[in-house]
Amino acid sequence: MGGPERIQQLAEAVRYHRELYYNQSSPEVTDAEFDALWDELKLLDPENAVLHQVGPEPLPGTVKVEHRFPMRSLDKGTTDEDIIHFITQSTFGGKQYLAQPKLDGSALSLEYVAGNLHRAATRGSGERGEDVTLNAKQVENIPTRLNLPVDCHIRGEVVMPLKTFEEKYRDVSPNPRNLCSGALRQKHGDGKADASDLVFCAYDVKFVKDSPEVQFDSQLLEMLKNEIGIEPAPWQVFDAENPQKEMIKYTKQWSEKRSSYEYEIDGIVFKLDDLQQRERLGSTAHHPRWALAWKFPPEEATSVLLGVDWQTGRTGAVTPVARIAPQTVGGVTVENTTLHNVGEVERLNLNLGDKVLIVRRGDVIPKIESGLGPASQSDLEGRFHADGTSFVGVLPSNKDIQIPSQCPACDGDLEAEGAFLRCIDLMCDARTSRTILYWCRSLEMDGIGEKLVEQLLDAELI
Ligand code: IVH
């Protein structure tokens, strides 16, 4: 059957199961079954309204949204001079600036009509994004109704708390940023992360009509927080005669605070605070002239690759972990760093005993960026562990990294899955202990650590 009857049947089924999934959180079919219905409908009737727009809320990623106010990029800088230059060329009349951390997540625009969430869209090209309303509604601090009946577009960054990333997602993604955009754009909850694990931090609001008569953007942020009911990213206002000194000091303070902040940030955004002055300065085709994204310079250092251990995670993924001579990067002493998967090991083309370049970018844990050829014994000298004790190490002979064919935990066969290696034995101890740890953490059962779980498994108590 491929006629109008089947099309109608499919359209109804898609609508029905989507409603169960999104609005009642009680799906009756698996993602694969849902996909089959969706694909068949798309084949028979690609223009069917259900595929594109069902009621006000289409399936995330299927409908494009023309941004009423374009979502522009920012001009970038990394040095003190870049800040001084920005101030010099943007100060016409006023000298008040506002600064916010540059959150490293996924940009989101929330469109409210009479205070009700009408639509949420990704940034996309800046002119056109994708409708992701259904997923945005799962983000706890995105209200479906504001405290005031205003028509406005609220822009911000969707981020994942680093604590959540470490506890739930470290195994599945190298950084929280990728999870944020994946969680927003997933079609029916089949992404790597739950949208309910994300947090929205606002940085901008534009009113469609009846803009409040305020002089400064910082007043709008106050208004968002205290009257409208949306949480902005933290901000600081600089209004000295020569604000550059304080602004540079602010970047230094955040460089120190960065590693203990609850979200990943990759810099500071400085913006002229006076809204009329912004108008006067205008924009280039690419960015406004009244803002600067000052980015933390990447922190780099060198170490020596001493060994590679393979670990089996909760999902059975076998991950290579590089053991390196202790090295401090961005205030953190690193001795172990993940190589993520076999694909990454092959891409880096490293040998044991190589000198390696370690870079800490936005990511929390510094990683090996590239190999620098064979190291010498002197590359191991003058190094200290995190506890301050001296490191004593012997340079390993320069040889290839061995890729295992057996699971390092249970000795079972491994399967290659693209760039990944996976243990397929459900009874593998490593999988069991990581699963138990994962659930204990999710249930906030403090005091149950790796050692205790291993002891319980050894004693065959679990
Ligand atoms: S202001 C005209 N403030 O950075 C642009 N952007 O490179 C107004 N971002 O995609 C943007 N934190 O999503 C602003 N505190 C912040 C930000 C921020 C992160 C992102 C933004 C944009 C990108 C621009």
Side-chain angles (χ1 to χ4, degrees):
M1 179 171 62
E5 244 175 75
R6 178 66 181 155
I7 290 172
Q8 195 184 343
Q9 207 178 47
L10 287 165
E12 272 166 24
V14 166
R15 190 181 288 126
Y16 172 77
H17 291 298
R18 188 158 57 197
E19 161 69 16
L20 282 184
Y21 181 82
Y22 277 108
N23 296 333
Q24 303 183 30
S25 296
S26 57
E28 285 173 4
V29 293
T30 64
D31 286 348
E33 285 164 339
F34 183 87
D35 278 346
L37 295 169
W38 177 271
D39 290 344
E40 191 183 341
L41 182 58
K42 196 165 177 195
L43 189 76
L44 297 179
D45 184 14
E47 294 309 314
N48 194 291
V50 167
L51 298 173
H52 300 279
Q53 184 120 36
V54 181
E57 292 169 353
L59 205 59
T62 56
V63 170
K64 295 275 181 212
V65 174
E66 204 80 32
H67 292 301
R68 184 175 184 135
F69 308 99
M71 295 179 78
R72 296 203 197 287
S73 294
L74 292 171
D75 199 13
K76 293 183 186 60
T78 49
T79 62
D80 294 355
E81 288 68 40
D82 291 332
I83 295 175
I84 296 168
H85 177 74
F86 164 64
I87 293 174
T88 317
Q89 63 86 42
S90 63
T91 324
F92 291 114
K95 294 180 178 62
Q96 186 160 316
Y97 290 86
L98 101 83
Q100 279 183 317
K102 186 170 185 305
L103 295 147
D104 200 5
S106 202
L108 187 67
S109 177
L110 304 174
E111 204 177 313
Y112 285 91
V113 177
N116 294 311
L117 180 60
H118 171 63
R119 196 156 57 168
T122 60
R123 176 175 182 273
S125 66
E127 307 288 333
R128 264 153 70 85
E130 284 174 8
D131 189 315
V132 291
T133 315
L134 282 169
N135 289 326
K137 281 187 171 174
Q138 312 274 321
V139 178
E140 234 170 84
N141 74 338
I142 295 184
T144 44
R145 205 182 169 82
L146 300 176
N147 296 338
L148 294 179
V150 283
D151 287 4
C152 62
H153 291 225
I154 300 174
R155 267 75 192 271
E157 200 82 355
V158 157
V159 284
M160 176 181 279
L162 285 167
K163 192 164 174 282
T164 310
F165 173 68
E166 292 299 339
E167 286 174 4
K168 281 181 77 174
Y169 300 109
R170 172 52 78 203
D171 278 2
V172 295
S173 172
N175 59 51
R177 186 195 332 114
N178 296 359
L179 293 170
C180 292
S181 81
L184 281 180
R185 300 177 63 212
Q186 62 191 316
K187 286 209 168 46
H188 21 269
D190 48 355
K192 286 184 180 165
D194 300 334
S196 57
D197 279 329
L198 308 179
V199 176
F200 179 74
C201 300
Y203 51 67
D204 186 40
V205 53
K206 296 227 166 0
F207 290 85
V208 176
K209 54 180 198 280
D210 308 327
S211 287
E213 286 184 12
V214 295
Q215 185 182 357
F216 296 112
D217 191 25
S218 50
Q219 290 172 288
L220 294 177
L221 294 178
E222 287 285 354
M223 195 177 159
L224 275 180
K225 190 180 167 85
N226 301 327
E227 293 170 52
I228 289 183
I230 289 252
E231 193 56 41
W235 74 92
Q236 165 97 23
V237 172
F238 300 92
D239 61 356
E241 188 58 27
N242 288 305
Q244 53 267 43
K245 217 168 131 202
E246 286 304 309
M247 284 160 66
I248 290 168
K249 200 161 126 199
Y250 190 71
T251 61
K252 311 271 185 257
Q253 285 164 354
W254 270 100
S255 302
E256 307 237 309
K257 223 164 47 181
R258 178 186 184 189
S259 57
S260 54
Y261 190 54
E262 56 189 317
Y263 309 116
E264 198 161 283
I265 62 171
D266 59 350
I268 304 294
V269 182
F270 291 108
K271 309 172 210 185
L272 204 53
D273 204 8
D274 190 308
L275 297 166
Q276 274 187 8
Q277 249 180 292
R278 287 189 186 182
E279 289 276 310
R280 258 179 264 134
L281 277 169
S283 300
T284 70
H286 171 259
H287 60 259
R289 293 195 184 86
W290 44 261
L292 174 76
W294 180 89
K295 304 253 264 183
F296 296 118
E299 290 148 307
E300 295 186 350
T302 58
S303 181
V304 177
L305 181 63
L306 302 174
V308 173
D309 293 337
W310 297 79
Q311 292 178 348
T312 310
R314 181 174 63 86
T315 57
V318 178
T319 312
V321 179
R323 309 290 173 203
I324 57 172
Q327 175 62 49
T328 313
V329 206
V332 192
T333 302
V334 213
E335 291 198 50
N336 308 308
T337 176
T338 179
L339 289 166
H340 300 298
N341 52 48
V342 180
E344 177 78 347
V345 171
E346 284 164 356
R347 189 185 71 76
L348 287 168
N349 193 19
L350 299 172
N351 279 342
L352 299 183
D354 272 354
K355 190 166 169 171
V356 285
L357 179 68
I358 314 289
V359 178
R360 180 179 192 263
R361 283 218 174 71
D363 295 358
V364 208
I365 296 179
K367 55 177 261 182
I368 296 181
E369 178 83 359
S370 58
L372 303 169
S376 62
Q377 185 63 35
S378 64
D379 291 314
L380 293 178
E381 282 157 18
R383 293 179 183 270
F384 298 89
H385 297 289
D387 64 6
T389 56
S390 228
F391 165 76
V392 187
V394 181
L395 190 65
S397 53
N398 206 251
K399 56 176 194 274
D400 288 352
I401 297 171
Q402 293 299 311
I403 295 174
S405 50
Q406 250 59 52
C407 170
C410 73
D411 229 19
D413 288 343
L414 297 180
E415 255 182 18
E417 240 182 67
F420 294 86
L421 272 182
R422 209 172 284 283
C423 173
I424 47 170
D425 187 350
L426 280 174
M427 297 312 288
C428 171
D429 264 3
R431 290 186 66 167
T432 316
S433 73
R434 302 235 165 230
T435 305
I436 293 167
L437 273 172
Y438 171 83
W439 285 110
C440 290
R441 280 192 196 133
S442 302
L443 297 170
E444 297 179 8
M445 292 166 68
D446 293 338
I448 303 185
E450 220 162 301
K451 284 229 168 71
L452 180 59
V453 171
E454 262 158 37
Q455 280 168 353
L456 291 169
L457 280 172
D458 285 347
E460 295 187 4
L461 288 170
I462 45 176

